[in-house]
Amino acid sequence: MMHSASEPPASGWQTYRRLLGYTRQYVRLLVIAIIGMVGAALTEVAFAALMKPLLDGSFVNRDPATIHAMPLLLLGVFAVRMVAEFVSGYGMAWVGRSVIRDLKRDVFDQVLQLPVRFFDRVAGGEVLTRLNYQSEQVSEAASRALTTLIRDSVTVVGLMVWLLILSWQLALFIVVLAPVLVVLVGGISRAFRRYARRIQESMGQVSHVAEEVINGHRVVKLYGGEQFETARFARINAQNFRDFMKMQAVTAISSPLTQFVLALGIAGIVWFATTGDRMQSISVGTFVSFLTALSLMLAPMKRLIGVNAVLQRGIAAGESLFGLLDEPRENDAPDAAPVDRVSGRITFENVGLRYTTGESAAWVLKDLSLTVPAGQTVALVGRSGAGKSSLIASLPRFVEIECGDIRLDEHSISQMSRQDLRRQFAYVSQDTVLFNTSVGANIAYSDGGQGDEARIRAAAAAAYALEFIEKLPQGFDTPVGENGVLLSGGQRQRLAIARALYRNAPILILDEATSALDTESERYIQAALDNLSRGRTTLVIAHRLSTIEHADLIVVLDQGRIVETGQHRTLLAANGAYAALYRLQFGNPSVAEAAL
């Protein structure tokens, strides 16, 4: 669940009312379907009512008019029932699938708008479970459960009214049992909802573990983690099984128990009607019509009890889905002025960043100031945890700084729309991300995959990817598979570089962009990146110091602060933090002196 600590979870009725809100735009079709439900429900009452004249008029009194009219009336009742059931069934199916479609659209749109930090704390498998499994559960509550609630409630109420009309004394037995049924249904509802929540949570855990194993299958195989993963999955899967069987136990006992309580009422009715002088005052038609109506009540009562499980599962799923939909989105300044293209000058002024709040929270970046002139290549180096990735993440506002300011040219990034801000950057990471579409669509991703063919070829050529692309079965139209699985590591990295080249943004961010390439490819692409950097601001997160020796400026970070800045040779000569990192990486103190 995703409720904040300060906000209690919504009640079942509030959640269900919000679910029903998704049916508002289909209100006309919903009304037609409800009319069909009411019509189908009333045919059951009509059928029970026909039993009295059918027996008393046809078989007892042998009235000719009644004998001729009854077959037509019965056919009329079932003709109305046929039309009403089709209208209600088809209409509610349309509404139900529309609700699923709209919910999935809203959840997917919400996922696209959530801040990056959300995905640091919520597993991807859990989000996928909400998008797929839980939206189906919600639809069941919004369509099938609604159908049962309306149709069967009308049926039960209509039959109850007919029972009172026939004999209020006999109907009294059912009325007396009503409070018992209410208490019984209330207890069952609470149990359903409790176990439904547990099932939702365990389903998310099952999806999460499965996703981890699928994505990391090579690591699992290489490190012999099959038994560990099997045991981990078995524990979670067993918990899901136990929760589901507890739900099934409640489901299995609810209907028989409710029917037994109703059977007590029926037994009392039969005893009451057949004792004393009451048999002379109740006609055969009245008694049979009463029992028919009572028997017709059993099925809708059973469905009303059974729908409780569907309803509570839907409400539990709705709470989870709405928790996701209510997560705060990335927001823009209300008065953000449009920005087309910056020159590339970056200014950090006393920037402070931490990922948690409170006095004891550690600062990831603290009082950091730096100016990067437009068109320069700046390398960020430092030990793991020094703040390099956090500094880069603060530029496109993947994370929000707590104090200070960051400006592109004269524009504060906090006053720019995120769309305008992020359009200024191209990014190549050591963890290549490709989408399961064609090579050309991956390169032209910033244009929605429908880019200019000449630009796509030029970007591929500059990334030294054109040669292997043209050898693919369908060239630029060849699908790359899930995350580029059909390509080698070097090919995937070159496509990512081509994607950055295609965007032609004024600021380029490279996170060890050549790490997945062989030595020959790396030399060519490093030359291409050097050419690309001319006239463009380039920020490089450097893990291998040999790749940034020609940077215009090297910035050394330690514990979120800048401890040194300068060029490669100058920093080595200073024999400070950078020289220490250089010696540590190359393992030979004389290397630093030789580099001078």
Side-chain angles (χ1 to χ4, degrees):
M1 300 299 167
M2 291 186 178
H3 301 292
S4 65
S6 60
E7 295 181 2
S11 69
W13 168 240
Q14 288 174 322
T15 301
Y16 194 60
R17 187 171 59 186
R18 187 170 175 183
L19 290 178
L20 293 180
Y22 275 84
T23 66
R24 283 195 196 121
Q25 58 184 310
Y26 312 106
V27 66
R28 292 183 180 177
L29 185 58
L30 186 61
V31 168
I32 294 172
I34 290 174
I35 292 172
M37 293 179 218
V38 174
L42 292 179
T43 58
E44 301 222 16
V45 181
F47 179 74
L50 285 176
M51 289 299 101
K52 180 176 171 60
L54 177 64
L55 292 173
D56 290 342
S58 300
F59 292 95
V60 178
N61 298 327
R62 297 192 176 276
D63 178 35
T66 303
I67 291 173
H68 289 97
M70 289 310 299
L72 294 176
L73 288 172
L74 285 171
L75 283 175
V77 167
F78 281 96
V80 171
R81 182 185 184 87
M82 178 181 66
V83 174
E85 287 195 343
F86 173 79
V87 169
S88 64
Y90 187 80
M92 288 308 296
W94 184 289
V95 172
R97 295 314 301 181
S98 297
V99 167
I100 289 179
R101 180 193 62 208
D102 296 347
L103 260 175
K104 287 185 176 181
R105 176 201 63 207
D106 289 353
V107 170
F108 189 75
D109 180 65
Q110 172 74 350
V111 168
L112 290 176
Q113 303 300 325
L114 287 172
V116 173
R117 294 295 295 167
F118 171 85
F119 299 98
D120 294 338
R121 61 183 175 86
V122 178
E126 183 178 343
V127 176
L128 290 176
T129 297
R130 296 179 189 211
L131 180 63
N132 295 318
Y133 173 74
Q134 293 181 1
S135 60
E136 297 284 345
Q137 299 294 310
V138 164
S139 172
E140 289 285 289
S143 57
R144 186 163 73 88
L146 184 61
T147 301
T148 302
L149 285 171
I150 294 174
R151 175 178 166 173
D152 290 337
S153 296
V154 171
T155 301
V156 170
V157 171
L159 290 171
M160 194 66 209
V161 170
W162 179 242
L163 292 178
L164 289 169
I165 292 172
L166 287 173
S167 173
W168 68 267
Q169 295 99 329
L170 296 180
L172 194 62
F173 282 88
I174 304 300
V175 174
V176 169
L177 290 175
V180 179
L181 291 174
V182 169
V183 172
L184 187 62
V185 170
I188 292 171
S189 295
R190 288 188 292 272
F192 274 141
R193 197 168 175 193
R194 181 170 64 252
Y195 293 128
R197 284 200 189 103
R198 293 180 185 176
I199 290 172
Q200 306 289 357
E201 292 171 2
S202 59
M203 278 297 297
Q205 292 173 348
V206 167
S207 298
H208 172 59
V209 172
E211 183 187 31
E212 280 191 331
V213 170
I214 291 169
N215 292 339
H217 64 95
R218 295 192 180 190
V219 175
V220 172
K221 293 180 184 299
L222 184 64
Y223 285 89
E226 290 90 349
Q227 289 185 347
F228 172 79
E229 295 298 344
T230 298
R232 184 162 70 121
F233 185 83
R235 286 195 302 272
I236 297 172
N237 204 24
Q239 183 62 49
N240 178 257
F241 173 80
R242 287 192 294 271
D243 292 338
F244 184 81
M245 291 314 300
K246 288 177 182 178
M247 167 79 86
Q248 287 302 108
V250 177
T251 303
I253 194 60
S254 60
S255 290
L257 187 58
T258 305
Q259 288 178 328
F260 179 76
V261 173
L262 286 173
L264 291 175
I266 294 173
I269 289 168
V270 173
W271 171 81
F272 182 80
T274 56
T275 56
D277 298 331
R278 283 179 288 273
M279 287 193 68
Q280 281 72 36
S281 61
I282 299 175
S283 69
V284 174
T286 298
F287 188 67
V288 172
S289 181
F290 193 96
L291 287 182
T292 301
L294 199 57
S295 65
L296 289 174
M297 283 180 66
L298 293 179
M301 285 292 290
K302 180 180 179 180
R303 287 193 295 268
L304 283 171
I305 296 298
V307 80
N308 206 22
V310 178
L311 194 59
Q312 297 304 326
R313 281 198 300 267
I315 289 173
E319 289 175 347
S320 181
L321 278 177
F322 293 141
L324 176 60
L325 289 172
D326 292 339
E327 282 285 329
R329 292 185 168 200
E330 291 184 322
N331 56 359
D332 285 327
D335 54 349
V339 177
D340 184 21
R341 183 182 176 92
V342 299
S343 68
R345 187 178 75 254
I346 306 172
T347 306
F348 297 88
E349 288 186 352
N350 303 315
V351 169
L353 169 66
R354 52 185 176 178
Y355 292 127
T356 56
T357 57
E359 295 182 2
S360 59
W363 289 91
V364 181
L365 300 174
K366 188 172 183 180
D367 197 27
L368 186 147
S369 296
L370 175 69
T371 299
V372 180
Q376 284 202 355
T377 297
V378 175
L380 305 176
V381 302
R383 293 181 173 85
S384 178
K388 305 183 296 295
S389 296
S390 296
L391 183 64
I392 291 297
S394 68
L395 275 171
R397 292 178 64 189
F398 289 158
V399 296
E400 297 286 355
I401 61 175
E402 188 169 327
C403 55
D405 191 21
I406 302 174
R407 294 198 305 275
L408 301 185
D409 294 353
E410 70 280 4
H411 307 287
S412 172
I413 65 171
S414 63
Q415 299 302 312
M416 296 174 65
S417 72
R418 292 180 190 271
Q419 183 177 11
D420 286 349
L421 172 64
R422 291 168 182 172
R423 193 169 54 242
Q424 313 303 323
F425 297 94
Y427 178 63
V428 182
S429 168
Q430 58 183 332
D431 300 318
T432 306
V433 174
L434 295 177
F435 299 94
N436 191 9
T437 182
S438 68
V439 170
N442 270 284
I443 294 175
Y445 188 73
S446 57
D447 281 347
Q450 303 294 323
D452 177 77
E453 291 186 12
R455 281 182 62 197
I456 292 174
R457 289 185 65 86
Y464 289 85
L466 186 58
E467 182 179 356
F468 83 79
I469 291 173
E470 290 181 334
K471 292 180 181 178
L472 294 174
Q474 302 172 51
F476 282 92
D477 295 325
T478 304
V480 302
E482 184 177 356
N483 203 25
V485 69
L486 301 179
L487 304 175
S488 69
Q491 289 172 338
R492 290 197 299 270
Q493 197 76 327
R494 278 179 273 180
L495 281 191
I497 293 171
R499 180 169 59 197
L501 288 159
Y502 178 90
R503 185 161 202 184
N504 192 30
I507 302 172
L508 179 65
I509 297 174
L510 304 176
D511 186 354
E512 201 64 78
T514 60
S515 62
L517 302 175
D518 56 73
T519 304
E520 183 178 0
S521 296
E522 180 180 350
R523 184 168 62 251
Y524 286 120
I525 294 180
Q526 190 63 55
L529 291 174
D530 289 342
N531 292 332
L532 176 64
S533 298
R534 294 193 182 98
R536 178 177 282 108
T537 306
T538 305
L539 299 176
V540 183
I541 297 179
H543 303 287
R544 292 184 295 170
L545 301 184
S546 60
T547 63
I548 47 96
E549 293 180 359
H550 301 293
D552 297 308
L553 181 68
I554 297 173
V555 177
V556 185
L557 294 169
D558 186 40
Q559 297 183 354
R561 297 175 182 270
I562 296 176
V563 294
E564 272 188 324
T565 60
Q567 293 185 324
H568 173 69
R569 295 174 63 86
T570 306
L571 291 174
L572 283 181
N575 202 27
Y578 180 77
L581 285 172
Y582 202 89
R583 289 193 296 268
L584 182 65
Q585 190 166 110
F586 288 97
N588 187 350
S590 64
V591 172
E593 284 76 10
L596 295 172

